[in-house]
Amino acid sequence: MDTINDFISAALPYTEWPMFLLLIGGGLFLVFYSKFLPYRFFGHAIAITAGKYDNDKAEGDVSSFQALSAAVAATVGLGNISGVAIAIHDGGPGVVFWIWVTAIIGMCIKFYSCSLAVMFRSTDSDGKLQGGPMYYITQGLGPKAKPLAIFFAVCGLFGFLGVFTANQFTETFMSVVEPSETLFQMSEMNWKLSIGVILALVTSFVIFGGLEKIAKVASAIVPFMVMVYLIAVVIVMVLNASQIIPSLKLIITEAWNFNTIVTGGFWGLVIIGVRRAMFSNEAGLGSAPMYHGQSKTDNPIKEGLVAMLGPFIDTILVCTFTAVVIILSGAYLEEGSGIVMTLSAFETTLFGYGDVLLMVIVTAFAMSTLFTYSYYGVKCLSFLTNAKIGKFYNWYFVIMIIFAAVASLDLVKNLIDLSYALMVIPNMIAVLLLAPKVNAAAADYFKKIKDAKA
């Protein structure tokens, strides 16, 4: 494991510049190119999500709300709860500011990429409707761009493993339950292995049931758990109201700390923020378009507007709340990274029981994330081979859950960071080249709405 980790760590720096330029540079270009469209029609996006503009005759497998729930299920979860803690541990409170910046730009990237997912929908070898980067690369840019689509799908075979989630769930269980003391004596390694096997078994029951099951389970669990989590966070904030403004001030002042202790200095701080924001809301990564590409919608722009709410819910709201709790509790000054830091913050601020509550929430988030990620991987393998072979990805996915339970946080984090950075490259190239098609469709869509009102 150490050898694999050393190799990945050595490769990571080479991906920083392309990822940063495409995600932040490309994203800023889209913000201005769209004339701030996603932000101007924020209210309209909420109305579409609420079902105000639904068309029962539209093609697709799941409703826009279910697609958003499933995409948010894959993103609201451990990326927000432990990803933010990792960011603060690695880069200090100032990193949260750069997470915000990336998320606001990410809303625009999501609008474009998920509009393209519906615009260039295709069918797989089973005749089922599919959408996502592989399809808008090959159909939108033409057959010559197929190597880009293949590169994306190959990276997706690693990027869409549930390794981070399985690893952080195991850490939570070990930290809160302390099974060797409370249940029965067994070595830490054996406990982690046992948790991995149980997680793998539970996951396999759902993922072998297909998309409809995943969408149903995700849309049932996730909104409820997000609500419980937000209520817990709000209680912490109310009890520590005097600390909220100082915490937010610390985020903003530290964001511009040019003498930061982070490896790579100020640039390192920004990179950590960009990486963790992308891990939190997946904007630019190309995963959400796979879900939104299968929505029952009669217009790509409608789906793009629904999708861009994802980074807002996920990063601007949930990540900020988590960050404030970690900072005001003082947990960020302690040793320990990832979920352990967030658990400590909740335990300190919620009368000693916060860590138990957080464990229940993390369990639901971990499950919903594992269910949704396996689906992304199946789509990548199906694209590279065919729909029948694609289903075998689930076996590999389940085995890797067991591996992740016993792996170190560093190895798991680096594997995901490298895969994500590589996936951004083909996806963002395609989104930037196809942006004029989205602008044309958006102009047409808003003209129709204007005419209907007139």
Side-chain angles (χ1 to χ4, degrees):
M1 282 190 190
D2 285 344
T3 312
I4 299 169
N5 193 29
D6 291 344
F7 171 75
I8 296 170
S9 301
L12 261 173
Y14 297 104
T15 63
E16 280 171 5
W17 272 108
M19 177 194 74
F20 183 78
L21 288 171
L22 285 165
L23 211 59
I24 303 301
L28 279 171
F29 166 77
L30 292 175
V31 169
F32 291 107
Y33 187 58
S34 70
K35 297 178 183 155
F36 303 95
L37 187 149
Y39 317 108
R40 289 188 289 123
F41 290 97
F42 193 85
H44 183 66
I46 292 170
I48 298 168
T49 311
K52 195 176 166 187
Y53 295 91
D54 277 1
N55 178 356
D56 295 334
K57 292 175 187 166
E59 276 190 347
D61 295 331
V62 290
S63 71
S64 290
F65 175 72
Q66 280 184 321
L68 183 66
S69 284
V72 169
T75 55
V76 172
L78 294 170
N80 307 70
I81 297 174
S82 62
V84 173
I86 290 170
I88 294 173
H89 174 268
D90 293 352
V95 81
V96 179
F97 178 83
W98 297 106
I99 289 177
W100 290 340
V101 171
T102 311
I104 290 165
I105 295 169
M107 287 170 72
C108 204
I109 297 173
K110 271 258 171 99
F111 165 71
Y112 275 92
S113 59
C114 293
S115 294
L116 288 168
V118 175
M119 202 179 281
F120 293 103
R121 289 206 265 210
S122 183
T123 49
D124 62 16
S125 58
D126 275 358
K128 284 192 174 166
L129 204 60
Q130 299 289 1
M134 300 86 78
Y135 297 96
Y136 55 72
I137 290 171
T138 47
Q139 299 206 352
L141 298 177
K144 281 183 187 168
K146 194 162 186 188
L148 274 181
I150 291 169
F151 180 73
F152 174 87
V154 169
C155 295
L157 298 178
F158 301 96
F160 294 134
L161 289 169
V163 288
F164 181 82
T165 301
N167 176 278
Q168 290 293 278
F169 174 79
T170 307
E171 283 296 320
T172 308
F173 188 86
M174 296 298 288
S175 181
V176 176
V177 178
E178 295 176 336
S180 279
E181 289 163 36
T182 54
L183 299 173
F184 53 87
Q185 184 62 42
M186 197 158 69
S187 73
E188 188 178 320
M189 179 69 174
N190 283 344
W191 265 115
K192 286 185 172 180
L193 202 58
S194 307
I195 296 162
V197 169
I198 293 164
L199 254 188
L201 284 171
V202 174
T203 305
S204 59
F205 282 125
V206 175
I207 64 176
F208 290 108
L211 171 68
E212 277 79 5
K213 269 196 182 168
I214 295 172
K216 272 184 188 149
V217 173
S219 52
I221 300 176
V222 174
F224 176 70
M225 277 303 158
V226 171
M227 193 174 69
V228 173
Y229 182 64
L230 293 182
I231 290 168
V233 171
V234 168
I235 291 169
V236 172
M237 287 175 155
V238 169
L239 295 173
N240 301 274
S242 60
Q243 293 300 309
I244 295 173
I245 302 298
S247 299
L248 292 170
K249 262 190 187 161
L250 189 66
I251 289 172
I252 290 161
T253 52
E254 284 294 305
W256 302 98
N257 179 359
F258 288 90
N259 303 317
T260 178
I261 49 163
V262 179
T263 318
F266 178 69
W267 165 246
L269 177 75
V270 176
I271 280 290
I272 292 167
V274 174
R275 279 198 193 289
R276 296 279 74 81
M278 184 174 65
F279 183 66
S280 153
N281 62 52
E282 297 177 5
L285 178 65
S287 55
M290 296 187 192
Y291 255 106
H292 288 282
Q294 285 187 262
S295 302
K296 277 184 184 158
T297 183
D298 53 354
N299 191 292
I301 302 304
K302 273 167 53 171
E303 202 54 40
L305 287 166
V306 168
M308 69 98 182
L309 295 173
F312 182 81
I313 297 168
D314 190 87
T315 309
I316 304 292
L317 295 180
V318 185
C319 284
T320 303
F321 289 161
T322 307
V324 169
V325 171
I326 289 170
I327 294 165
L328 65 77
S329 68
Y332 75 101
L333 299 168
E334 296 169 17
E335 266 308 302
S337 181
I339 198 78
V340 177
M341 186 195 280
T342 318
L343 285 165
S344 162
F346 270 75
E347 189 181 13
T348 311
T349 50
L350 279 178
F351 322 110
Y353 295 105
D355 55 340
V356 180
L357 174 67
L358 190 63
M359 185 181 153
V360 174
I361 295 166
V362 163
T363 305
F365 281 162
M367 287 299 155
S368 64
T369 306
L370 288 174
F371 303 158
T372 42
Y373 261 43
S374 67
Y375 171 70
Y376 292 148
V378 167
K379 289 191 88 161
C380 288
L381 188 57
S382 299
F383 177 78
L384 292 168
T385 55
N386 61 47
K388 280 190 176 68
I389 295 173
K391 289 179 182 135
F392 286 107
Y393 181 84
N394 284 332
W395 293 101
Y396 159 63
F397 182 87
V398 166
I399 291 161
M400 290 301 280
I401 289 175
I402 301 168
F403 158 79
V406 295
S408 72
L409 172 60
D410 265 355
L411 171 57
V412 164
K413 185 179 76 176
N414 289 339
L415 174 67
I416 295 299
D417 279 348
L418 181 64
S419 307
Y420 277 19
L422 292 173
M423 285 158 77
V424 162
I425 298 166
N427 182 50
M428 283 302 294
I429 289 170
V431 171
L432 289 165
L433 291 173
L434 294 167
K437 292 189 187 298
V438 177
N439 275 19
D444 187 48
Y445 172 71
F446 287 110
K447 185 179 178 296
K448 277 180 187 162
I449 284 188
K450 211 173 177 183
D451 292 348
K453 281 180 182 170

